Amino acid sequence: MSRSPSSASGPLSGRRVLLVVGGGIAAYKALDLIRRLRDRGAAVRPLLTESAQEFITPLAAAALAGERTHTDLFDRESEAEIGHIRLARDADAIVVAPATANMMARMATGHAPDLAATVLLATTLPILIAPAMNVRMWLHPATQRNLATLKADGVTVVGPNEGAMAEAEFGPGRLAEPHEIADALEAMLAQRAQAGGFGFLAGRETPKRLAGRHVLVTSGPTHEAIDPVRYLANRSSGRQGHAVAAAAAEAGARVTLVSGPVALPDPAGVTVVRVESAREMLAAVEAALPADLAIFAAAVGDWRPAETRGAKIKKDGHTPAPLTLVENPDILATISARTEGRPPLVVGFAAETDQVLDNARKKIARKGCDLIVANDVSAEGGVMGGLDNTVHLVARDGGVETWPKLGKEEVGRRLVARFSEWLAARPG
Ligand SMILES: Cc1cc2nc3c(=O)[nH]c(=O)nc-3n(C[C@H](O)[C@H](O)[C@H](O)COP(=O)(O)O)c2cc1C
């Protein structure tokens, strides 16, 4: 690339990024992304689809990137100067932001009718996509199928975020913020470098380590009803549990995901059982057994109201309604203690705000499970509801593995890989 980045010492210094901009309402944010990537030291070459040019101009992208913008597959001048095959090679990574539903479909099916899709098909570079679209387009089975295909092909995905959208709708579909996309790009490049392979093909094969196994996963919070309109809950988003379930399915397992109330799409290829309360979750877990591997990632409410009122409790203006709590069943301990039908590997999650490892070791002894995945959920860490996680794997013998901060999807994949090894090493 001709033009130097604006920061020579940023975390992306020396990196060359081909930025493909799709034709979505969020295309304007790609301009801010160009600025942020350059601030972090990257050189950015923009490529706009025909639809993207309805939302932003090639001139604006070129001015911010300090690079010419590529737009046309059959532009003879451009093809002579730097052809589509060179565009597909002459960078360290390709970022697609926003990735439209149409673009995801072209990528997943290998259709190449335009410059962007042709470059994406011709490349072996690592690809990061940041999808953005209407919530129903995102949740449509076709888009979810395409998403699963792209992930299986080794494409990294950031977002979409949840929130208010155009047409007064709410849900997942908003483009990840430019700083989140830049963070995800840094993490992707760091992971590829660590894995020793820089190519797109390096991450392509998902080994089917769990073929023929049944994996049971719980995820999300529980809601414990106070009356028909109120409940006790917690801040769990379900992202980590859902990511583990998705990774287990990618690894070839038959997966049952018992999920509390979450605002996440169902992972591809997974049977999802939706529940609300801890008692419903336990019943669904017991109904789903036998399993080879049970991963209890849900943030199950410890307590529930002693009684659930059939009618809404009225405020009387004087005293607050007294709330008596009773303990919920302990799903992890109940399943770990089973003499018959106990899954050969039972994994618990421990969300702790202090003394994370000490508490995890005590928990493993108290609950009788085989492994604990411990994480620090104190407010500063932003794990609850966030996109990243720093986990410690604690074994029954007290051994600990601590992993660096990773995206929850990557944590899910690595956990599944480790559990597969443990499962393979266990007798019976
Ligand atoms: C006003 C408007 C906003 C749009 N916003 C989106 C969007 O946010 N996400 C999306 O996937 N498609 C959106 N579309 C539809 C795409 O522009 C359309 O599918 C197009 O073919 C995408 O082309 P591309 O993938 O080559 O950029 C929008 C269309 C219009 C007219």
Side-chain angles (χ1 to χ4, degrees):
M1 286 181 192
S2 55
R3 185 60 200 253
S4 59
S6 45
S7 162
S9 57
L12 289 171
S13 128
R15 301 296 200 191
R16 297 159 311 147
V17 179
L18 178 68
L19 176 62
V20 175
V21 183
I25 200 83
Y28 73 95
K29 287 192 182 174
L31 297 175
D32 186 31
L33 178 61
I34 294 175
R35 193 179 57 77
R36 283 175 187 270
L37 292 175
R38 294 197 66 208
D39 283 350
R40 295 187 189 203
V44 182
R45 173 176 280 158
L47 192 167
L48 267 57
T49 66
E50 202 180 327
S51 309
Q53 294 166 60
E54 298 287 336
F55 297 90
I56 60 171
T57 64
L59 183 61
L64 283 163
E67 262 289 327
R68 67 163 289 198
T69 299
H70 297 262
T71 53
D72 191 356
L73 183 58
F74 297 107
D75 175 345
R76 257 184 283 169
E77 206 180 292
S78 168
E79 190 64 19
E81 186 199 322
I82 171 165
H84 64 280
I85 298 297
R86 247 188 75 197
L87 275 179
R89 284 193 196 146
D90 194 11
D92 294 307
I94 302 183
V95 175
V96 187
T100 60
N102 189 340
M103 177 66 76
M104 290 175 65
R106 302 208 288 291
M107 290 173 72
T109 51
H111 282 197
D114 61 354
L115 181 62
T118 305
V119 166
L120 285 159
L121 193 60
T123 196
T124 56
L125 296 172
I127 301 173
L128 172 70
I129 65 167
M133 65 199 69
N134 167 279
V135 59
R136 277 188 294 267
M137 285 171 85
W138 173 251
L139 294 176
H140 193 286
T143 305
Q144 291 301 311
R145 264 197 312 275
N146 292 334
L147 176 69
T149 302
L150 291 173
K151 285 183 179 175
D153 286 349
V155 170
T156 304
V157 183
V158 55
N161 291 346
E162 278 160 36
M165 306 195 53
E167 294 107 29
E169 289 186 303
F170 187 90
R174 278 163 68 113
L175 183 71
E177 291 304 323
H179 70 90
E180 293 171 331
I181 300 173
D183 287 349
L185 174 64
E186 276 181 32
M188 179 179 83
L189 290 172
Q191 271 162 23
R192 299 278 163 150
Q194 221 176 33
F198 231 71
F200 168 50
L201 295 171
R204 199 163 195 160
E205 282 298 316
T206 312
K208 302 291 179 211
R209 296 185 177 99
L210 289 175
R213 305 279 198 178
H214 179 211
V215 175
L216 171 61
V217 184
T218 67
S219 182
T222 59
H223 286 184
E224 308 296 337
I226 297 170
D227 67 19
V229 295
R230 304 181 180 96
Y231 55 80
L232 295 178
N234 58 64
R235 293 185 195 279
S236 166
S237 66
R239 279 204 181 92
Q240 189 58 80
H242 276 54
V244 171
E250 270 175 34
R254 175 168 74 84
V255 182
T256 306
L257 173 63
V258 179
S259 174
V262 296
L264 296 173
D266 292 349
V270 167
T271 303
V272 181
V273 182
R274 286 183 191 76
V275 297
E276 290 229 333
S277 68
R279 285 181 296 175
E280 286 170 10
M281 188 170 275
L282 175 59
V285 162
E286 286 178 327
L289 292 175
D292 299 289
L293 166 58
I295 304 159
F296 296 111
V300 181
D302 289 321
W303 302 282
R304 67 176 185 276
E307 78 169 308
T308 302
R309 302 285 185 88
K312 185 182 171 195
I313 304 167
K314 298 282 180 208
K315 66 174 175 188
D316 61 10
H318 302 295
T319 49
L323 201 57
T324 310
L325 301 179
V326 293
E327 261 193 36
N328 265 330
D330 187 323
I331 299 176
L332 177 59
T334 306
I335 301 302
S336 298
R338 278 174 82 110
T339 44
E340 256 179 55
R342 181 192 190 277
L345 186 61
V346 178
V347 182
F349 270 61
E352 304 287 350
T353 52
D354 53 346
Q355 297 181 317
V356 177
L357 292 182
D358 265 8
N359 285 333
R361 288 196 182 99
K362 283 180 197 148
K363 186 166 178 174
I364 210 167
R366 209 169 58 241
K367 309 270 180 160
C369 57
D370 303 297
L371 286 169
I372 287 277
V373 180
N375 47 13
D376 185 346
V377 293
S378 51
E380 315 82 70
V383 169
M384 274 290 200
L387 299 176
D388 297 323
N389 206 352
T390 307
V391 303
H392 313 269
L393 249 64
V394 183
R396 239 195 235 186
D397 63 7
V400 178
E401 256 179 49
T402 297
W403 294 353
K405 185 173 177 181
L406 297 165
K408 286 182 177 174
E409 288 181 354
E410 182 59 19
V411 170
R413 276 193 288 272
R414 289 188 185 203
L415 285 175
V416 163
R418 293 295 280 126
F419 299 157
S420 314
E421 287 167 19
W422 266 301
L423 210 50
R426 286 172 78 94

